[in-house]
Amino acid sequence: RGQIGTANPVMSLKEATQLGRGAARKGLPPGMRLGEDFPMVCEKCLGDNPFLRMIKLPNDAACKITNKPFNVFRWRPGKGRPYKKTIVCYEIAAEKNICQSCLVDMEYGLPVALRDAF
């Protein structure tokens, strides 16, 4: 059987988490760009489902911080759980190292308001 492309459209939770955290920025799959093809989200937001199906809505909403239009991603973190979506743009999330969905620090898991207060 022939393969159409080298990038696997379905990825495991571990791969998605590493990609979202930026740990795999150096070795992204061919053709994928962080922020463009996958959001920067934390493990809690991804849920316990080992495979995710994300919906990309190009320039669908304005960033809650900069009011600049950005690509919104929607996904269901688990069966019976409500959909989650990104609320801030990738540029802000990468600059502040926060989750695009719940706005917690990617390294320590603290809310960004608490982290920046000190």
Side-chain angles (χ1 to χ4, degrees):
R1 298 181 186 232
Q3 290 184 339
I4 295 174
T6 57
N8 187 359
V10 178
M11 61 179 65
S12 71
L13 178 61
K14 183 177 179 182
E15 291 170 332
T17 303
Q18 287 175 344
L19 190 59
R21 282 190 174 176
R25 284 184 196 174
K26 299 171 226 140
L28 286 173
M32 285 192 78
R33 293 175 296 180
L34 190 59
E36 238 354 88
D37 299 316
F38 196 83
M40 187 169 172
V41 292
C42 63
E43 287 184 46
K44 186 178 177 184
C45 287
L46 288 173
D48 51 359
N49 187 358
F51 298 99
L52 296 172
R53 182 172 39 189
M54 289 214 171
I55 302 167
K56 178 182 175 183
L57 306 165
N59 296 326
D60 188 56
C63 175
K64 300 291 183 188
I65 297 173
T66 63
N67 287 330
K68 182 179 116 182
F70 73 104
N71 295 332
V72 174
F73 292 90
R74 283 188 67 211
W75 69 96
R76 182 173 285 179
K79 197 169 190 171
R81 293 180 60 192
Y83 278 93
K84 285 193 163 269
K85 69 177 189 173
T86 55
I87 58 173
V88 295
C89 62
Y90 170 74
E91 290 81 15
I92 294 296
E95 179 182 324
K96 295 183 178 234
N97 194 29
I98 59 174
C99 173
Q100 280 185 270
S101 181
C102 66
L103 304 179
V104 300
D105 183 74
M106 295 294 280
E107 192 172 343
Y108 300 110
L110 295 171
V112 71
L114 177 66
R115 181 196 71 181
D116 290 347
F118 294 102

